[in-house]
């Protein structure tokens, strides 16, 4: 049975789009993006955007919306055992309609990929579907916020993720 992802977090006017791969087992169980307690996504975003990472999930999502951050995954659905991105199988993978989202949100000025796996999936499954004017959007591959990515510290991840701030009005770097 395939793993099926979530609907996007979509502000009225998005300035950046953050794309992961597919929700983890913990995220699926809680029906929340980045729900694993050791995933660094929420602490990173809290530090960059100036909110408390301890807010309830709805409050954290509202902070993303308020700052113009759209959040989604490259995959709508895929076969995967466990939570590791490396376990996502290409056979039967269905990508989200990111081209459609970008067409509906022309205010998006940059796409940020949460880890190398998201970048690879984006390049293979999404990039070929993009309109020419969208292909030229700045795209950044950032270090995965997953606890499986222990090659760099959370502090180093925050520094690398701070690129997002350049694309968000009213957010200092």
């Amino acid at each position: 049975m395939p793993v099926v992802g979530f609907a996007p977090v979509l502000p009225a006017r998005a300035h950046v789009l953050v794309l992961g791969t597919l929700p983890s087992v913990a995220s699926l169980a809680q029906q929340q993006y980045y729900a694993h307690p050791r995933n660094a996504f929420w602490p990173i975003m809290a530090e960059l955007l100036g909110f408390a990472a301890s807010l309830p999930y709805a409050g954290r999502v509202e902070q993303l919306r308020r700052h113009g951050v759209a959040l989604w995954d490259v995959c709508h659905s895929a076969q995967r055992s466990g939570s590791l991105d490396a376990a996502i199988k290409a056979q039967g993978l269905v990508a989200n309609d990111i081209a459609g989202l970008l067409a509906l949100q022309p205010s998006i000025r940059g796409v940020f990929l949460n880890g190398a796996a998201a970048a690879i999936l984006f390049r293979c499954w999404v990039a070929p579907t993009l309109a020419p004017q969208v292909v030229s959007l700045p795209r950044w591959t950032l270090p995965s916020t997953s606890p499986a990515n222990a090659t760099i510290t959370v502090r180093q991840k925050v520094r690398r993720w701070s690129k997002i701030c350049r694309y968000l009005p009213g957010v200092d770097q």
Side-chain angles (χ1 to χ4, degrees):
M1 173 173 261
V3 174
V4 178
F6 306 138
V9 169
L10 200 54
R13 183 175 165 86
H15 299 287
V16 300
L17 173 60
V18 175
L19 293 170
T21 54
L22 194 62
S24 69
V25 171
S27 291
L28 291 166
Q30 295 182 46
Q31 290 296 291
Q32 298 178 2
Y33 280 101
Y34 302 106
H36 191 286
R38 290 185 309 154
N39 192 298
F41 178 80
W42 290 112
I44 289 169
M45 296 310 289
E47 184 166 336
L48 295 176
L49 302 179
F51 65 89
S54 61
L55 283 173
Y57 179 71
R60 288 178 277 153
V61 167
E62 184 52 36
Q63 287 295 317
L64 291 185
R65 286 189 177 110
R66 190 171 79 85
H67 286 92
V69 177
L71 179 63
W72 211 9
D73 286 315
V74 173
C75 301
H76 167 73
S77 62
Q79 295 287 337
R80 181 191 68 204
S81 58
S83 292
L84 293 178
D85 290 342
I88 296 172
K89 295 180 173 55
Q91 184 177 12
L93 186 149
V94 176
N96 275 315
D97 183 15
I98 295 163
L101 182 142
L102 292 169
L104 291 172
Q105 290 280 335
S107 56
I108 291 176
R109 302 182 309 151
V111 176
F112 295 85
L113 299 152
N114 189 348
I120 291 166
L121 291 168
F122 183 93
R123 187 175 65 244
C124 294
W125 295 88
V126 176
T129 70
L130 297 177
Q133 67 272 21
V134 176
V135 170
S136 63
L137 270 177
R139 191 178 327 145
W140 299 90
T141 301
L142 300 173
S144 173
T145 60
S146 167
N149 178 18
T151 59
I152 64 173
T153 67
V154 173
R155 177 70 19 230
Q156 290 169 316
K157 290 177 186 182
V158 168
R159 280 196 296 277
R160 299 270 300 278
W161 276 75
S162 69
K163 287 180 177 78
I164 286 177
C165 298
R166 295 182 207 161
Y167 296 87
L168 298 174
V171 175
D172 295 327
Q173 285 191 26

